[in-house]
Amino acid sequence: MPEDERFGAMREGVQEVDATGDQPGHQDDDRFLAEDDSEARGQVRDRRNRRRALAVMAGLLAVILIAGLAIGGWYLSRINSALDKVKRDPSIMPTGDTTAVAPTPSDPKNKQPMTFVLLGSDSRGPDQGRSDVLMTAYVPGNRQHVYLTSYPRDLWVPIPGHGEAKINAAYAFGGPALTVSTVQDLTGIKMDHVALIDFERFIQLTEALGGVTVNNKVASKQGQYTFPKGKITIRGKEALVYVRQRHGLPNGDFDRAERQRAVVQAIIGEMLSKGVVANPKRFDEVAQTFAESVTVDSGLTNEKIRSLATSMRMNSGADVRSLQAPSAGFGTSSDGQSIVKLDRPGLDDMTRAMKNDTMDTFWDKAQNDCRYTPSGC
Protein backbone atom coordinates (compact mmCIF):
# COMPACT_ATOMS: atom_id res chain seq x y z
CA MET A 1 0.00 0.00 0.00
CA PRO A 2 1.40 3.45 -0.89
CA GLU A 3 2.47 5.61 2.07
CA ASP A 4 -0.25 8.20 1.46
CA GLU A 5 -2.95 5.51 1.50
CA ARG A 6 -1.42 3.93 4.63
CA PHE A 7 -1.43 7.28 6.40
CA GLY A 8 -5.02 7.87 5.35
CA ALA A 9 -5.99 4.54 6.85
CA MET A 10 -4.13 5.45 10.03
CA ARG A 11 -6.06 8.73 10.28
CA GLU A 12 -9.29 6.76 10.12
CA GLY A 13 -7.99 4.29 12.68
CA VAL A 14 -7.09 6.93 15.25
CA GLN A 15 -10.73 7.96 15.52
CA GLU A 16 -11.37 4.83 17.55
CA VAL A 17 -9.89 5.98 20.89
CA ASP A 18 -9.13 9.48 22.15
CA ALA A 19 -6.66 10.84 24.68
CA THR A 20 -8.69 9.78 27.67
CA GLY A 21 -9.52 6.34 26.36
CA ASP A 22 -13.12 7.39 25.71
CA GLN A 23 -15.03 6.42 22.59
CA PRO A 24 -15.63 8.94 19.78
CA GLY A 25 -17.81 11.81 20.87
CA HIS A 26 -15.96 12.56 24.10
CA GLN A 27 -16.64 16.27 24.62
CA ASP A 28 -14.09 17.50 27.17
CA ASP A 29 -12.22 19.76 24.74
CA ASP A 30 -15.11 21.20 22.78
CA ARG A 31 -18.17 21.07 24.99
CA PHE A 32 -18.23 24.86 25.27
CA LEU A 33 -18.01 25.51 21.50
CA ALA A 34 -21.07 26.74 19.64
CA GLU A 35 -22.70 24.40 17.10
CA ASP A 36 -21.65 26.63 14.19
CA ASP A 37 -18.13 27.37 15.40
CA SER A 38 -16.56 25.11 12.77
CA GLU A 39 -13.13 26.80 12.80
CA ALA A 40 -12.71 26.40 16.55
CA ARG A 41 -13.94 22.81 16.36
CA GLY A 42 -11.45 22.13 13.58
CA GLN A 43 -8.61 23.42 15.76
CA VAL A 44 -9.73 21.17 18.64
CA ARG A 45 -9.89 18.17 16.28
CA ASP A 46 -6.42 18.96 14.94
CA ARG A 47 -5.00 19.13 18.47
CA ARG A 48 -6.76 15.93 19.48
CA ASN A 49 -5.72 14.02 16.37
CA ARG A 50 -2.12 15.16 16.85
CA ARG A 51 -2.15 13.92 20.44
CA ARG A 52 -3.71 10.59 19.40
CA ALA A 53 -1.08 10.05 16.77
CA LEU A 54 1.65 10.39 19.39
CA ALA A 55 0.21 7.79 21.68
CA VAL A 56 1.82 4.44 21.26
CA MET A 57 5.00 6.06 19.92
CA ALA A 58 5.14 7.68 23.31
CA GLY A 59 4.57 4.27 24.81
CA LEU A 60 7.80 3.13 23.23
CA LEU A 61 9.42 6.22 24.68
CA ALA A 62 8.03 5.48 28.10
CA VAL A 63 11.46 4.26 29.09
CA ILE A 64 12.50 7.88 28.87
CA LEU A 65 9.02 8.90 29.72
CA ILE A 66 7.39 10.67 26.91
CA ALA A 67 3.68 11.15 26.67
CA GLY A 68 1.11 10.05 24.18
CA LEU A 69 -2.22 8.51 23.35
CA ALA A 70 -3.43 5.37 21.61
CA ILE A 71 -3.57 5.09 17.83
CA GLY A 72 -4.53 2.38 15.40
CA GLY A 73 -3.89 1.20 11.86
CA TRP A 74 -0.46 0.94 10.27
CA TYR A 75 1.21 3.13 12.91
CA LEU A 76 0.11 0.76 15.67
CA SER A 77 1.58 -2.21 13.84
CA ARG A 78 4.94 -0.43 13.45
CA ILE A 79 4.99 0.53 17.12
CA ASN A 80 4.27 -3.06 18.11
CA SER A 81 7.12 -4.13 15.86
CA ALA A 82 9.43 -1.63 17.56
CA LEU A 83 8.36 -2.67 21.05
CA ASP A 84 9.22 -6.27 20.23
CA LYS A 85 12.80 -5.14 19.51
CA VAL A 86 13.29 -3.66 22.98
CA LYS A 87 15.74 -5.86 24.87
CA ARG A 88 14.69 -7.01 28.35
CA ASP A 89 17.04 -8.17 31.09
CA PRO A 90 15.71 -9.55 34.40
CA SER A 91 19.05 -9.00 36.17
CA ILE A 92 19.18 -5.19 35.98
CA MET A 93 16.69 -4.58 38.81
CA PRO A 94 17.68 -5.33 42.43
CA THR A 95 16.09 -8.23 44.26
CA GLY A 96 15.22 -8.49 47.93
CA ASP A 97 13.63 -6.10 50.39
CA THR A 98 14.12 -2.35 50.47
CA THR A 99 13.07 0.36 52.89
CA ALA A 100 12.33 2.70 49.96
CA VAL A 101 8.66 3.52 49.54
CA ALA A 102 6.49 4.13 46.50
CA PRO A 103 5.07 7.65 46.03
CA THR A 104 1.45 8.24 47.00
CA PRO A 105 -0.92 9.98 44.57
CA SER A 106 -1.75 13.48 45.78
CA ASP A 107 -5.32 13.05 44.50
CA PRO A 108 -7.16 9.71 44.81
CA LYS A 109 -8.45 10.26 41.27
CA ASN A 110 -4.92 10.30 39.86
CA LYS A 111 -2.85 7.37 38.66
CA GLN A 112 -0.02 5.89 40.70
CA PRO A 113 3.17 7.94 40.10
CA MET A 114 5.91 6.03 38.30
CA THR A 115 9.68 6.15 38.77
CA PHE A 116 12.50 5.12 36.45
CA VAL A 117 16.29 4.99 36.62
CA LEU A 118 17.91 5.86 33.26
CA LEU A 119 21.50 4.73 32.77
CA GLY A 120 24.16 5.13 30.13
CA SER A 121 27.57 3.58 30.70
CA ASP A 122 31.11 4.20 29.50
CA SER A 123 31.95 0.50 29.57
CA ARG A 124 34.45 -0.81 27.01
CA GLY A 125 34.94 -4.50 26.24
CA PRO A 126 35.02 -6.78 29.32
CA ASP A 127 35.40 -3.83 31.68
CA GLN A 128 31.97 -3.03 33.11
CA GLY A 129 32.93 0.63 33.46
CA ARG A 130 31.04 3.31 35.36
CA SER A 131 27.71 4.95 34.64
CA ASP A 132 28.35 7.85 32.33
CA VAL A 133 24.74 9.05 32.44
CA LEU A 134 22.56 8.67 35.53
CA MET A 135 19.10 10.18 35.71
CA THR A 136 15.80 9.44 37.35
CA ALA A 137 12.51 10.07 35.60
CA TYR A 138 9.42 10.80 37.66
CA VAL A 139 5.94 10.64 36.17
CA PRO A 140 3.38 12.31 38.49
CA GLY A 141 -0.08 10.93 39.07
CA ASN A 142 -1.73 13.51 36.84
CA ARG A 143 0.53 12.40 33.95
CA GLN A 144 0.98 15.99 32.73
CA HIS A 145 4.77 16.17 32.99
CA VAL A 146 7.92 14.13 33.28
CA TYR A 147 10.67 15.24 35.67
CA LEU A 148 14.21 14.27 34.61
CA THR A 149 16.81 14.59 37.37
CA SER A 150 20.55 14.19 36.73
CA TYR A 151 22.93 12.91 39.41
CA PRO A 152 26.53 14.15 39.08
CA ARG A 153 28.86 11.22 38.49
CA ASP A 154 31.18 12.41 41.28
CA LEU A 155 28.40 12.79 43.88
CA TRP A 156 29.70 11.28 47.13
CA VAL A 157 27.06 8.88 48.50
CA PRO A 158 26.73 5.62 50.44
CA ILE A 159 26.75 2.58 48.17
CA PRO A 160 25.18 -0.55 49.70
CA GLY A 161 27.89 -2.99 50.74
CA HIS A 162 30.74 -0.68 49.71
CA GLY A 163 30.70 2.31 52.03
CA GLU A 164 30.91 5.82 50.60
CA ALA A 165 32.05 6.42 47.04
CA LYS A 166 31.24 8.37 43.93
CA ILE A 167 27.74 7.47 42.76
CA ASN A 168 28.94 6.26 39.36
CA ALA A 169 31.12 3.65 41.10
CA ALA A 170 27.93 1.72 41.94
CA TYR A 171 27.78 0.61 38.32
CA ALA A 172 31.37 -0.67 38.45
CA PHE A 173 30.74 -2.49 41.76
CA GLY A 174 27.43 -4.12 40.88
CA GLY A 175 26.05 -2.99 37.55
CA PRO A 176 22.57 -1.53 37.04
CA ALA A 177 21.02 -3.42 39.96
CA LEU A 178 23.39 -1.89 42.53
CA THR A 179 22.97 1.52 40.92
CA VAL A 180 19.21 1.27 41.36
CA SER A 181 19.67 0.17 44.99
CA THR A 182 21.99 3.14 45.56
CA VAL A 183 19.43 5.57 44.12
CA GLN A 184 16.66 4.00 46.20
CA ASP A 185 18.67 4.26 49.42
CA LEU A 186 19.71 7.82 48.60
CA THR A 187 16.21 9.08 47.80
CA GLY A 188 14.09 6.74 49.91
CA ILE A 189 11.88 6.24 46.83
CA LYS A 190 11.13 2.86 45.30
CA MET A 191 12.13 2.74 41.63
CA ASP A 192 9.66 0.95 39.40
CA HIS A 193 11.86 0.31 36.38
CA VAL A 194 15.30 0.82 34.89
CA ALA A 195 16.43 1.49 31.33
CA LEU A 196 19.95 1.15 29.97
CA ILE A 197 20.53 3.53 27.10
CA ASP A 198 23.05 2.90 24.36
CA PHE A 199 23.77 6.60 24.05
CA GLU A 200 25.60 6.27 20.74
CA ARG A 201 22.59 4.49 19.27
CA PHE A 202 20.19 6.85 20.95
CA ILE A 203 21.96 9.85 19.44
CA GLN A 204 21.33 8.29 16.02
CA LEU A 205 17.78 9.46 16.57
CA THR A 206 19.06 12.94 15.83
CA GLU A 207 19.91 11.74 12.31
CA ALA A 208 16.50 10.13 11.86
CA LEU A 209 14.92 13.37 13.04
CA GLY A 210 16.98 15.54 10.71
CA GLY A 211 18.77 17.19 13.63
CA VAL A 212 17.57 18.72 16.90
CA THR A 213 17.82 22.29 18.13
CA VAL A 214 19.04 23.16 21.63
CA ASN A 215 19.86 26.38 23.43
CA ASN A 216 23.60 26.10 24.06
CA LYS A 217 24.35 28.19 27.14
CA VAL A 218 28.16 27.96 26.99
CA ALA A 219 30.23 28.31 23.81
CA SER A 220 32.78 25.51 23.48
CA LYS A 221 34.97 23.56 21.09
CA GLN A 222 35.67 19.86 21.12
CA GLY A 223 37.83 18.30 18.42
CA GLN A 224 36.60 19.37 15.02
CA TYR A 225 33.31 20.68 16.35
CA THR A 226 32.53 24.20 17.55
CA PHE A 227 29.39 24.95 19.55
CA PRO A 228 28.59 28.68 19.64
CA LYS A 229 26.41 30.16 22.36
CA GLY A 230 22.72 30.32 21.53
CA LYS A 231 20.42 28.08 19.54
CA ILE A 232 22.26 25.42 17.56
CA THR A 233 21.08 22.45 15.52
CA ILE A 234 23.08 19.26 15.98
CA ARG A 235 22.90 15.71 14.68
CA GLY A 236 24.80 12.44 14.58
CA LYS A 237 28.45 12.44 15.68
CA GLU A 238 28.30 16.16 16.39
CA ALA A 239 25.41 15.58 18.82
CA LEU A 240 27.29 12.73 20.51
CA VAL A 241 30.36 14.94 21.01
CA TYR A 242 28.11 17.68 22.35
CA VAL A 243 26.57 15.52 25.08
CA ARG A 244 29.87 13.87 26.00
CA GLN A 245 31.96 17.03 26.37
CA ARG A 246 33.01 17.66 29.95
CA HIS A 247 36.39 19.37 29.83
CA GLY A 248 36.36 22.93 28.62
CA LEU A 249 32.99 23.62 30.22
CA PRO A 250 33.03 25.97 33.25
CA ASN A 251 30.97 23.61 35.43
CA GLY A 252 32.31 20.35 34.06
CA ASP A 253 29.96 17.44 34.66
CA PHE A 254 27.11 19.75 35.68
CA ASP A 255 27.16 21.43 32.28
CA ARG A 256 27.47 18.09 30.53
CA ALA A 257 24.47 16.70 32.43
CA GLU A 258 22.45 19.77 31.48
CA ARG A 259 23.40 19.24 27.84
CA GLN A 260 22.29 15.61 28.06
CA ARG A 261 18.91 16.60 29.44
CA ALA A 262 18.54 19.34 26.83
CA VAL A 263 19.21 16.93 23.97
CA VAL A 264 16.79 14.35 25.40
CA GLN A 265 14.17 17.09 25.68
CA ALA A 266 14.86 18.25 22.11
CA ILE A 267 14.58 14.70 20.77
CA ILE A 268 11.26 14.29 22.54
CA GLY A 269 10.03 17.60 21.17
CA GLU A 270 10.90 16.55 17.62
CA MET A 271 9.24 13.18 18.09
CA LEU A 272 6.05 14.93 19.13
CA SER A 273 6.15 17.25 16.11
CA LYS A 274 3.99 17.04 13.00
CA GLY A 275 7.12 16.51 10.94
CA VAL A 276 7.48 13.03 12.46
CA VAL A 277 3.86 12.10 13.13
CA ALA A 278 2.71 13.05 9.62
CA ASN A 279 5.61 11.25 7.94
CA PRO A 280 5.13 7.45 8.15
CA LYS A 281 8.63 6.64 6.89
CA ARG A 282 10.33 8.94 9.39
CA PHE A 283 7.98 7.82 12.18
CA ASP A 284 8.93 4.19 11.57
CA GLU A 285 12.65 4.93 11.38
CA VAL A 286 12.55 6.84 14.67
CA ALA A 287 10.54 4.11 16.41
CA GLN A 288 12.83 1.30 15.27
CA THR A 289 16.01 3.23 16.09
CA PHE A 290 14.82 4.05 19.57
CA ALA A 291 13.77 0.46 20.28
CA GLU A 292 17.24 -0.76 19.36
CA SER A 293 18.92 1.76 21.68
CA VAL A 294 17.51 0.58 25.02
CA THR A 295 17.50 -2.39 27.36
CA VAL A 296 14.85 -2.44 30.09
CA ASP A 297 13.97 -4.64 33.04
CA SER A 298 11.71 -7.61 32.33
CA GLY A 299 8.89 -6.02 34.32
CA LEU A 300 8.53 -3.23 31.77
CA THR A 301 6.44 -5.24 29.34
CA ASN A 302 4.91 -4.03 26.09
CA GLU A 303 1.55 -3.95 27.83
CA LYS A 304 2.87 -1.73 30.64
CA ILE A 305 4.49 0.62 28.18
CA ARG A 306 1.26 0.96 26.22
CA SER A 307 -0.72 1.44 29.43
CA LEU A 308 1.57 4.25 30.55
CA ALA A 309 1.43 5.85 27.11
CA THR A 310 -2.34 5.93 26.98
CA SER A 311 -2.50 7.57 30.41
CA MET A 312 -0.14 10.45 29.58
CA ARG A 313 -1.38 14.01 29.11
CA MET A 314 1.71 15.70 27.67
CA ASN A 315 1.67 17.74 24.47
CA SER A 316 5.28 18.69 23.71
CA GLY A 317 8.91 18.42 24.77
CA ALA A 318 8.36 21.45 27.01
CA ASP A 319 6.40 19.16 29.33
CA VAL A 320 9.65 17.38 30.17
CA ARG A 321 11.10 19.33 33.10
CA SER A 322 14.82 19.27 33.75
CA LEU A 323 16.38 19.12 37.24
CA GLN A 324 19.69 18.25 38.85
CA ALA A 325 20.26 16.62 42.24
CA PRO A 326 21.28 19.46 44.59
CA SER A 327 24.91 19.59 45.64
CA ALA A 328 26.80 21.48 48.36
CA GLY A 329 29.92 22.28 46.35
CA PHE A 330 33.12 20.39 45.73
CA GLY A 331 35.40 18.66 48.20
CA THR A 332 37.97 15.93 48.72
CA SER A 333 37.28 12.47 50.12
CA SER A 334 39.37 10.95 52.91
CA ASP A 335 41.33 9.00 50.30
CA GLY A 336 42.07 12.10 48.22
CA GLN A 337 39.42 11.93 45.50
CA SER A 338 37.81 15.09 44.11
CA ILE A 339 34.10 14.78 44.84
CA VAL A 340 30.77 16.59 44.68
CA LYS A 341 29.18 16.96 48.11
CA LEU A 342 25.48 16.19 48.50
CA ASP A 343 23.04 18.88 49.63
CA ARG A 344 21.06 16.57 51.88
CA PRO A 345 18.35 19.04 52.94
CA GLY A 346 17.87 20.10 49.32
CA LEU A 347 17.54 16.51 48.14
CA ASP A 348 15.11 15.77 50.97
CA ASP A 349 12.88 18.64 49.80
CA MET A 350 12.81 17.23 46.28
CA THR A 351 12.24 13.61 47.28
CA ARG A 352 9.50 14.68 49.70
CA ALA A 353 7.70 16.24 46.75
CA MET A 354 8.11 12.99 44.81
CA LYS A 355 6.81 10.87 47.67
CA ASN A 356 3.80 13.15 48.14
CA ASP A 357 3.25 13.55 44.39
CA THR A 358 3.56 17.33 44.62
CA MET A 359 6.34 17.80 42.07
CA ASP A 360 4.29 20.28 40.05
CA THR A 361 4.16 22.56 43.09
CA PHE A 362 7.83 21.92 43.87
CA TRP A 363 8.74 22.92 40.31
CA ASP A 364 7.26 26.40 40.80
CA LYS A 365 10.06 27.02 43.28
CA ALA A 366 12.81 24.76 41.96
CA GLN A 367 12.91 26.15 38.42
CA ASN A 368 14.32 29.41 39.81
CA ASP A 369 16.58 27.77 42.38
CA CYS A 370 20.24 27.38 41.42
CA ARG A 371 20.51 24.15 43.39
CA TYR A 372 18.05 22.35 41.13
CA THR A 373 18.30 24.04 37.74
CA PRO A 374 21.29 25.84 36.23
CA SER A 375 18.81 28.20 34.59
CA GLY A 376 17.87 29.38 38.09
CA CYS A 377 21.43 30.60 38.74
Side-chain angles (χ1 to χ4, degrees), residues 57-68 113-118 135-140 143-149 192-195 197 202 264-265 268 271-272 290 294 300 304-305 308-309 312 314 316-317 319-321:
M57 176 62 181
L60 169 62
L61 300 176
V63 288
I64 57 168
L65 305 203
I66 310 166
M114 293 190 71
T115 53
F116 293 71
V117 173
L118 310 178
M135 302 181 193
T136 57
Y138 179 87
V139 184
R143 297 296 195 263
Q144 293 177 3
H145 301 97
V146 168
Y147 291 91
L148 283 180
T149 303
D192 295 312
H193 299 288
V194 60
I197 301 171
F202 181 70
V264 168
Q265 189 175 28
I268 293 171
M271 287 176 167
L272 300 182
F290 184 85
V294 296
L300 191 58
K304 283 190 176 181
I305 291 175
L308 174 61
M312 296 300 293
M314 293 168 57
S316 74
D319 291 326
V320 178
R321 292 175 166 177

Side-chain angles (χ1 to χ4, degrees), residues 27-85:
Q27 301 295 311
D28 275 0
D29 286 340
D30 56 358
R31 63 183 183 275
F32 296 119
L33 298 179
E35 290 288 338
D36 58 353
D37 195 351
S38 58
E39 181 177 353
R41 286 180 180 278
Q43 292 173 350
V44 168
R45 281 195 298 272
D46 286 345
R47 288 197 303 270
R48 189 180 296 163
N49 285 342
R50 184 166 68 249
R51 293 197 300 264
R52 287 188 191 116
L54 300 172
V56 184
M57 176 62 181
L60 169 62
L61 300 176
V63 288
I64 57 168
L65 305 203
I66 310 166
L69 314 162
I71 63 173
W74 178 84
Y75 274 43
L76 181 59
S77 72
R78 299 312 300 151
I79 287 302
N80 286 335
S81 170
L83 287 173
D84 287 339
K85 291 182 179 179

